Amino acid sequence: MEPENIASQNVPIGSQEIMSNSDSDLDSGDGSDEDLTNQTIIDVENENDAPNESRTLSEAEKTNLAIVNDAGQQLSGLQMEDLVGMIRNAEKNIVLLDQARVRALNDLGSIMSEKEALQGEINVLEMKLVETDARMKVAAQEKLHVELLEDQLEKLKDELVQRSRIDRNESDVYKDHDYPLNQENSPSHHSISSIYTLREELRSLRTENESLKNDIQALRDDLNGVKSTDERVIILEKEQSYLESALKNLESKLSDSREDVSKLSTLKFEYKDLLEKVENLQVLLDKATKQADQAILELQQNQELQKKVDKLEESLKEANIYKLSSEKLQQYNELMQQKIKLLEDRLERSDEEVLSYLQLYQESVQEFQDTLNSLKEESNKRALNEPVDDLPREFWSHLLLRIDGWFLEKKISANDANLLGEMVWKRERRICNAYMVCKEKNERDAISTFVGLISKAPTSPGLHVVHIAAEMAPVAKVGGLGDVVTGLSKALQKKGHLVEIILPKYDCMQYDRVRDLRALDFEVESYFEGRLFKNKIWIGTIEGLPVYFIEPLHPDKFFWRGQFYGEHDDFKRFSFFSRAALELLLQAGKKPDIIHCHDWQTAFVAPLYWDLYAPKGLNSARICFTCHNFEYQGTAPASEMASCGLDVQQLNRPDRMQDNSSHERVNPIKGAVVFSNIVTTVSPTYAQEGGRGLHTTLNLHSKKFIGILNGIDTDAWNPASDSFLEVQYSATDVLGKAENKSALRRQLGLSRANPRQPLVQYTNKCQYPK
């Protein structure tokens, strides 16, 4: 069995059954072999339970033991993985050794049974050989007897010939003398009968000789078989010797494996000790982590206290002024007392005047104390209401998405969600402190803590902007649209505006660039093609921006196509998404100030908003539409517009969405221009340069147009931190530009004879999807 197969089966050490796809050949044995297998594995288990043997530790093991013995340090994940890997490899080796031993025992049993069978065949062949030798001896004796008989037969033939001559002569004599011939009384009667007898014996001997020849031939064939059997016996003996040597090797390996098993058992006990120490260290690590979290919280509280101390120092400076005045008052009081003492001799003033001065002093001291307390309270309130600027944007976006998730999952009210959202929007310190306190609490306690922060509705510091787009860099970027959505949102967020983005949940997005992605326990139902379809809502942050992802639970799997654009039903896909995005805003109870849609893919938002959703209560926003490319306007037959619920008869008109070049088609770009409150383009002159059949509509709505030249995201396109450049440079250090130019020349294979010769890049029109 290969080690990979054993590793994939996760066979435990000490088990009495080893399941493997390649062990089917072991099932051919009888019950004794199975008992032997079980006994072998039980022996290995007993060997694993043997006491630890002393052995020399490797450098890696010494390092691991040193780390474990040091209770003040943390055991790194890499060393823990190495230790676990060593234990797993040891278990795999034990299983391999067990199976090798079982297989060796099975092979030995089969060899011994085959050897016994061969020995039986050898015994049978030896008996046949002995019988053959005996029969050959008998045949040789019979052959000698036949030769003797043949000699006697030859002699008899000669004698018969001589006698026949004599008989002829005698018959002639008798015939001449007229003797009666009587067979019984003839002289050759006896010899003739003896000849006949000899002939019969000769025939029987010949037949017996033939049978003997056949027997001899059969014996010769058997002898040849015996010779081949001898050769086979020799081969089997060689195989037996080879198998015995292999068995010896296996026994030696088995002995080595037993030593390894004993070492592994030692390692197993050491691993148990290490595991206990690791668990103890994990407990210490958890405690240390909790202490670290508490330390971070205390550090943040200390920072807050430091700010409070600074405020108090300022208030103390003011208090010092009051203190000086009180000292002067005290001096004045002393002077007055001196005057009283002096005037006691001269005038007899009543004690009431003295008490009045004392009362004035006490009132001034009390007034100073009240002023100091009010300053402290005001300082505390300012510290709570001051915005927190030392936390990343991802923190606030994550917190905002969490509050929206609570509302969508019906865990808080819309009013509470709006008030908490505005606190996050203003980056108030109290909601940050509440999040830190509730970090380890359950969700129910966290919600009650957050709701307890609400006292009155704060004023909004900026605008609430919602982008509905088909692209966003870097997770779903095809052209410049994705860069504009991300860069513009980050710029608006830096200026204090609340920015949220709604995207389709494509299957081909770069999900590794989305942080804290999770699905809400909330589904949005939106209308399409005469029925309601559910949409699964996901939330996450992209470069610090809160993003909502809409996953339509539609049988056509609109956004699970492996690409962003270029499908035959793009008009239906993005009209479905546009309506689902507005439905999300409506059901989430959001009141955005601006809904910003981009290009023809989300141009449906403008007519859907004013015709269907403004009457439903989603009426706080104004629609902004940006056309990034007039080349692609998404025209389609007017009948397809009814899928998302728009009235075809009302909108397929020259003053609304009817395409200027075909009255049977609708133009989403034209509809967005007509129904939007403001329309922007990527440059001040782009609308006049690239109207592409919409010049009449653009001129009619020219007051809506604002040309804004596209900028760049200075965080992403920063030559001082761009890892794709050969050498980084900045405005104060431009030496790297020359080195980058030389590197580009080398990469393109250009001549380096004149390094000051300018490089010009020619780019054709950017191809956007239709």
Side-chain angles (χ1 to χ4, degrees), residues 5-263:
N5 295 334
I6 296 175
S8 65
Q9 295 167 13
N10 297 326
V11 181
I13 299 178
S15 174
Q16 295 189 8
E17 293 182 4
I18 300 177
M19 302 299 296
S20 175
N21 295 330
S22 62
D23 290 341
S24 59
D25 55 343
L26 297 179
D27 297 336
S28 60
D30 54 2
S32 61
D33 294 336
E34 184 177 1
D35 295 337
L36 184 59
T37 303
N38 292 334
Q39 184 63 38
T40 303
I41 296 176
I42 291 171
D43 292 339
V44 173
E45 184 180 15
N46 293 333
E47 290 174 3
N48 289 335
D49 296 333
N52 297 339
E53 296 178 3
S54 61
R55 60 184 183 88
T56 304
L57 296 175
S58 63
E59 293 297 325
E61 292 172 342
K62 290 179 179 179
T63 305
N64 291 334
L65 288 175
I67 293 173
V68 171
N69 291 329
D70 190 1
Q73 297 180 354
Q74 299 181 0
L75 186 62
S76 66
L78 181 60
Q79 293 167 342
M80 188 62 190
E81 290 177 359
D82 293 339
L83 183 58
V84 173
M86 291 172 61
I87 298 302
R88 289 179 178 173
N89 292 331
E91 293 177 352
K92 293 176 185 176
N93 292 331
I94 290 173
V95 173
L96 284 172
L97 293 171
D98 291 342
Q99 294 188 353
R101 183 176 180 182
V102 170
R103 185 165 294 185
L105 292 172
N106 290 332
D107 292 340
L108 180 61
S110 61
I111 289 169
M112 294 300 293
S113 61
E114 188 174 358
K115 182 178 178 181
E116 291 176 358
L118 290 175
Q119 188 64 39
E121 291 181 0
I122 291 171
N123 295 333
V124 172
L125 290 174
E126 287 178 352
M127 292 175 65
K128 288 183 178 181
L129 186 61
V130 172
E131 292 177 356
T132 304
D133 291 338
R135 293 178 68 181
M136 288 178 67
K137 290 179 180 179
V138 173
Q141 292 177 0
E142 290 179 351
K143 187 176 180 181
L144 292 175
H145 181 63
V146 168
E147 290 177 353
L148 293 174
L149 290 175
E150 286 179 351
D151 292 337
Q152 292 178 3
L153 183 60
E154 290 295 331
K155 291 179 181 179
L156 288 172
K157 283 181 179 179
D158 294 336
E159 185 179 355
L160 184 60
V161 170
Q162 291 176 3
R163 288 195 177 189
S164 62
R165 290 176 182 173
I166 295 170
D167 290 337
R168 285 178 186 173
N169 294 327
E170 288 180 355
S171 64
D172 292 337
V173 172
Y174 285 124
K175 189 181 289 185
D176 292 337
H177 291 85
D178 294 330
Y179 287 125
L181 293 175
N182 190 354
Q183 267 181 332
E184 295 178 359
N185 297 322
S186 63
S188 62
H189 176 74
H190 179 72
S191 61
I192 291 171
S193 62
S194 63
I195 289 171
Y196 286 144
T197 304
L198 288 173
R199 284 181 179 175
E200 292 296 330
E201 289 180 358
L202 183 60
R203 287 175 185 171
S204 63
L205 288 173
R206 283 179 178 175
T207 56
E208 189 175 356
N209 191 15
E210 290 295 329
S211 64
L212 288 173
K213 286 182 179 180
N214 293 330
D215 292 338
I216 290 169
Q217 186 64 35
L219 289 173
R220 287 177 179 174
D221 295 336
D222 293 338
L223 186 60
N224 292 328
V226 170
K227 290 181 180 179
S228 63
T229 303
D230 292 337
E231 294 176 355
R232 186 181 175 190
V233 167
I234 293 170
I235 294 171
L236 289 174
E237 287 178 352
K238 291 181 179 179
E239 291 181 355
Q240 181 180 1
S241 62
Y242 174 73
L243 289 173
E244 287 176 353
S245 63
L247 183 60
K248 290 180 181 179
N249 292 330
L250 286 174
E251 288 177 351
S252 62
K253 290 181 180 179
L254 185 60
S255 62
D256 295 336
S257 67
R258 287 179 177 175
E259 295 177 358
D260 293 337
V261 165
S262 62
K263 293 179 181 179

Side-chain angles (χ1 to χ4, degrees), residues 602-660:
T602 56
F604 306 97
V605 169
L608 283 169
Y609 177 81
W610 292 114
D611 281 7
L612 298 178
Y613 284 91
K616 293 181 180 181
L618 183 63
N619 54 7
S620 63
R622 294 297 178 263
I623 304 299
C624 176
F625 173 69
T626 298
C627 185
H628 301 265
N629 192 351
F630 279 108
E631 292 284 340
Y632 305 104
Q633 299 176 11
T635 62
S639 59
E640 293 192 11
M641 190 170 54
S643 299
C644 62
L646 291 173
D647 191 341
V648 177
Q649 293 181 354
Q650 292 295 325
L651 296 178
N652 189 21
R653 291 164 39 181
D655 59 337
R656 295 193 177 180
M657 293 185 68
Q658 187 180 78
D659 189 55
N660 293 340

Side-chain angles (χ1 to χ4, degrees), residues 25 136 255 275 345 410 419 428 452 489 600 615 627 731:
D25 55 343
M136 288 178 67
S255 62
L275 189 60
D345 298 334
K410 308 298 182 184
L419 294 176
E428 293 186 6
S489 300
W600 77 264
C627 185

Side-chain angles (χ1 to χ4, degrees), residues 463-469 485 488-489 492 498-503 550 577-587 589-599 602-615 617-627 672-673 675-680:
L463 296 175
H464 182 188
V465 182
V466 175
H467 286 274
I468 302 176
V485 171
L488 178 59
S489 300
L492 291 173
L498 174 61
V499 183
E500 295 176 314
I501 302 156
I502 303 177
L503 293 176
I550 295 178
F577 166 68
S578 298
R579 175 147 190 176
L582 290 174
E583 192 69 34
L584 171 62
L585 295 178
L586 177 65
Q587 296 190 26
K590 292 184 179 295
K591 299 292 182 181
D593 298 302
I594 296 174
I595 297 177
H596 197 157
C597 48
H598 301 263
D599 275 349
T602 56
F604 306 97
V605 169
L608 283 169
Y609 177 81
W610 292 114
D611 281 7
L612 298 178
Y613 284 91
L618 183 63
N619 54 7
S620 63
R622 294 297 178 263
I623 304 299
C624 176
F625 173 69
T626 298
C627 185
V673 171
F675 283 91
S676 295
N677 299 102
I678 192 169
V679 180
T680 67

